[in-house]
Amino acid sequence: MKIGLIGTGRIGAFHAATLQNVPGVTDLVVADADPVRAAALAGDLGVRAADDIAAMYADGLDGVVITAATSAHATLLHQALDAGVPVFCEKPVALDVPGTRAVVARAEAGRVPVQIGFQRRFDAGYRAARAALRSGELGWLHTLRACTSDQSPPPAAFIPTSGGLFRDCSIHDFDIMRWLTGREVVSVYAQGANRGADFFAAGDDVDTCAALLRFDDDTLATVTATRYNGAGHDVRLEVCGSAGARFVGLDDRAPMPSAETELSWRRAEAPYATFMERFHDAYVTELEVFAEVAAGRTPSPCTPAEALEALYVAEACDRSRRTGRPVAVADVRAAGAGAGGATPGAGPAPGSRRGGRRSGP
C-alpha cells in the first residue's frame, strides 16, 4: 500500500514515522508547501519526497494523510476526493461551518472514505470508560467533567490560524463526549479569559476557557481548557453515573500534584509535557485503523459529518463567550455560523428532556 503524507511539520513528521511501521504500508511519499522541509524529512526517514502535491497524486496513491496547516485542510480534502483517494485528515475539517459543510457534502457524494483525526477515540482509557457506560455499569449518567490543559502556549504565529481555543482544543472534548455518550449537546454557556501573553487577545482569542454543556437527556458537563498549565500537559475526563464512575487520564504521569499530606499512589514518571506524549498510542492506533479504511476493510471511524457536529458545539461556545449568553446549538446549526462566531447568540438553555441523534459507534 502506497501512502502519501501532506505536511511535514511536527505532527506530520510523527505520523510519517508511524506510517513506516503500520502493517500493509509498503511505500511512503511526503510532500509539503515547503519542498526543502519535505526533502529533509524524507532524508531522515529514508522515504521519498514528491516535488509537489500534484506530482504525489500523479505517482498513484492508495491513501493520503493530511497534516498540513489548518487553513489548508478543506482545499486538500477536496483535492483528495477529486483524485478518488481515501484520506485521513487531522482535525479540523475547516476553520468554519460553511467550509466544513462543503467537505461533508463532497465526501458523502464521493466514492472514497474520509477519516478525521480525533485521536481520543482510540485512547484505551476513553474506550474503557465508554464501554463501562454503555454496559450500564455506571448507571445513568449525570455529570461529565473534562479538561484539556497545555503545559505551555503555542507560538504566537499559530493563534490567528488556529480557530481559537474552543475550536482548537476543546473540540476534542466535545467530540469525545458525543462519542462516549451517544448523546447530543443542546445548549452551552461559556466564558473566556486572558491572563498570559498579549498575542492571544491580539489574535481575538483567549488563553483560558470554561463551558457548561447540557445534553439532550439533561446530563450536564463542564469543559475547561488553558494554554498555561505549569504542572504539565493535562487531559482528563470524569464520567460520573448513579452507580459508578470512571476517570480517564488519571495515570502515573497525570500532572496532579496533591496538596494532601497522605496519598495512596505516587507518580512514577515525569508528567506529560505535550499532547503527543499523552496520546502517543492513540495516534498510532488511529493510523493503523486508517490503513484498514484505505484498504476497504473497515468503514471510517470518524467521518466529516461527525467532526461537523463537534464544530457546532465549539461555535456555540465561542458565540456564548463573546455575547455573555447561553447559546442553543440548534441555532448555530441552522444559521451556519462562520469562523468568527460573532453572530448574536441564542436564548436561554432549554431544560426539558429531548431525544437527539445518537453518535456512531
Side-chain angles (χ1 to χ4, degrees), residues 109-130:
R111 66 185 188 277
V112 295
V114 180
Q115 178 181 336
I116 304 303
F118 282 102
Q119 85 283 356
R120 296 186 193 184
R121 294 182 178 213
F122 302 93
D123 178 79
Y126 286 104
R127 297 178 75 88
R130 184 180 192 256

Side-chain angles (χ1 to χ4, degrees), residues 25-204:
V25 176
T26 57
D27 193 6
L28 179 64
V29 184
V30 300
D32 196 285
D34 181 353
V36 174
R37 186 166 70 172
L41 178 63
D44 290 342
L45 298 180
V47 300
R48 293 186 295 129
D51 291 336
D52 53 39
I53 296 171
M56 187 184 69
Y57 280 113
D59 197 32
L61 296 175
D62 298 302
V64 63
V65 173
I66 296 172
T67 57
T70 295
S71 58
H73 285 186
T75 298
L76 293 171
L77 279 163
H78 282 290
Q79 190 174 20
L81 290 167
D82 289 343
V85 176
V87 55
F88 171 96
C89 183
E90 279 296 339
K91 66 84 193 167
V93 172
L95 281 177
D96 59 17
V97 169
T100 303
R101 280 177 164 170
V103 172
V104 170
R106 178 69 181 83
E108 291 180 346
R111 66 185 188 277
V112 295
V114 180
Q115 178 181 336
I116 304 303
F118 282 102
Q119 85 283 356
R120 296 186 193 184
R121 294 182 178 213
F122 302 93
D123 178 79
Y126 286 104
R127 297 178 75 88
R130 184 180 192 256
L133 177 64
R134 296 294 184 94
S135 72
E137 184 179 352
L138 306 186
W140 48 266
L141 186 64
H142 57 79
T143 307
L144 295 165
R145 304 184 190 96
C147 72
T148 297
S149 304
D150 291 336
Q151 183 179 41
S152 55
F158 172 74
I159 299 305
T161 62
S162 70
L165 191 56
F166 285 114
R167 300 183 194 91
D168 180 52
C169 284
S170 297
I171 196 168
H172 281 288
D173 294 303
F174 304 148
D175 175 74
I176 205 64
M177 286 178 171
R178 292 185 63 256
W179 176 81
L180 191 146
T181 65
R183 311 302 308 191
E184 297 293 351
V185 178
V186 296
S187 66
V188 307
Y189 178 65
Q191 293 280 300
N194 280 305
R195 301 291 306 282
D198 292 339
F199 62 73
F200 288 101
D204 197 24

Side-chain angles (χ1 to χ4, degrees), residues 9-22:
R10 180 173 62 156
I11 191 67
F14 175 79
H15 282 340
T18 299
L19 285 164
Q20 287 188 293
N21 298 304
V22 168

